[in-house]
Amino acid sequence: MNNIYIPSYNRANNVRTYEYLGCGKIIVPKSQESEYKKRYGDAVQTIDDSRDGSVAKKRNAILDLIKEEQEDGYGWIIDDDLVKVKRKKESKDLSGEETLELLEKIYIMAKDSGIKYAGVDYSLDNMKLKDYQPFSFTKVIFGSTLICENDGLRYDERFKINEDVEFWVQKLNLNRRLLKDNQYATVFYGDDGGKDSVIGYTNDDRRVYATMLNNKWGDKIMNWNKTRFEFKIPIKGV
């Protein structure tokens, strides 16, 4: 697959997503090109340092790459610390090759349906979305997303974090539906924010930007409920 883009920064020796999938374009700032190429060679693709600097800014640079390189406008943007994808019902870890097959299937389904935003679940909790709801068309997706860039939407670069949630709101408001495969879940390294986490922010930081998101859209879309964030779907139907 040549439509997988892996944004990375200062992880020249351990791009977990590439190690897992065995393919993908590793997108790094020009100043880090030589370090990344020592391990990943031609898989490394650079952008100007001026187009890096925040997650939202870098994702917009990748949207431009998708526009330039993908004739149909579709590309996967997958965070660089993906450890595995799990089939939830059987609690089965997919191999990298099996995950690539899944990504290809989702891409075909989305393209054939005219859907411009797709992915899988982020929670391993199999009780959240049971067998009677293998797919959903409005629920939030982040971490690993298939994006069609030809609707002109961009990440809001004012959001240093929660930019993916804000982009989900944009996609739903304009296109009125997405495609989320609830039968699978992504697992990212240290995504619980514990001692091995690669996340450089806290839930307090997320609350600040959640308030900013809610103020922008005039609705309580992302809210802290004592132990976790909850997401309110910002449209009333598909």
Side-chain angles (χ1 to χ4, degrees):
M1 294 178 69
N2 70 344
N3 65 346
I4 296 174
Y5 296 80
I6 306 169
S8 190
Y9 188 88
N10 279 347
R11 293 179 189 163
N13 294 315
N14 197 6
V15 181
R16 292 180 174 86
T17 303
Y18 188 89
E19 302 284 354
Y20 173 53
L21 296 177
C23 66
K25 302 179 181 187
I26 304 171
I27 312 301
V28 305
K30 184 70 176 176
S31 60
Q32 297 181 18
E33 178 180 16
S34 60
E35 284 301 307
Y36 272 86
K37 282 201 167 184
K38 290 176 184 177
R39 183 177 179 100
Y40 298 107
D42 292 340
V44 177
Q45 187 169 346
T46 63
I47 57 175
D48 290 341
D49 282 43
S50 62
R51 305 195 70 195
D52 210 297
S54 74
V55 176
K57 199 172 184 181
K58 190 165 196 163
R59 286 174 178 267
N60 281 334
I62 293 175
L63 289 181
D64 291 336
L65 291 176
I66 293 171
K67 183 176 183 178
E68 294 168 8
E69 298 173 356
Q70 306 299 329
E71 186 175 349
D72 59 11
Y74 282 88
W76 285 95
I77 301 181
I78 305 177
D79 291 351
D80 69 352
D81 51 353
L82 178 67
V83 176
K84 60 187 174 183
V85 173
K86 184 180 285 284
R87 166 80 176 177
K88 293 164 67 174
K89 185 176 181 180
E90 297 85 4
S91 191
K92 177 184 181 295
D93 294 345
L94 272 60
S95 67
E97 184 176 342
E98 289 171 328
T99 292
L100 290 175
E101 291 175 359
L102 173 64
L103 298 181
E104 180 71 10
K105 289 176 182 177
I106 292 172
Y107 158 69
I108 293 170
M109 290 172 64
K111 184 177 177 181
D112 287 352
S113 303
I115 289 173
K116 300 182 183 296
Y117 199 60
V120 302
D121 200 10
Y122 56 88
S123 171
L124 293 172
D125 183 358
N126 202 33
M127 295 302 293
K128 281 182 59 183
L129 298 164
K130 299 181 182 179
D131 292 342
Y132 62 78
Q133 193 182 21
F135 298 96
S136 56
F137 299 96
T138 55
K139 292 187 179 297
V140 66
I141 304 170
F142 43 70
S144 173
T145 50
L146 175 69
I147 299 172
C148 183
E149 58 74 34
N150 65 18
D151 57 12
L153 295 181
R154 310 280 289 181
Y155 286 87
D156 189 333
E157 295 182 10
R158 294 173 297 176
F159 286 80
K160 303 305 179 187
I161 57 178
N162 294 352
E163 80 294 326
D164 44 7
V165 180
E166 198 281 328
F167 194 65
W168 160 70
V169 178
Q170 289 191 55
K171 282 287 187 181
L172 271 187
N173 271 284
L174 180 64
N175 299 307
R176 313 310 290 177
R177 60 178 180 157
L178 50 79
L179 175 64
K180 183 177 183 180
D181 191 333
N182 299 316
Q183 302 165 92
Y184 300 87
T186 50
V187 179
F188 291 92
Y189 179 79
D191 61 1
D192 59 356
K195 66 180 181 65
D196 295 323
S197 178
V198 296
I199 295 173
Y201 53 81
T202 66
N203 279 330
D204 286 339
D205 298 325
R206 292 183 74 194
R207 279 193 282 266
V208 170
Y209 282 93
T211 299
M212 181 175 167
L213 183 149
N214 295 342
N215 288 340
K216 174 179 178 177
W217 291 98
D219 202 353
K220 293 183 178 180
I221 294 169
M222 182 176 180
N223 289 281
W224 181 255
N225 184 13
K226 296 183 180 179
T227 59
R228 61 188 176 87
F229 281 99
E230 294 181 344
F231 301 96
K232 176 184 174 184
I233 296 171
I235 64 173
K236 292 187 179 299
V238 178

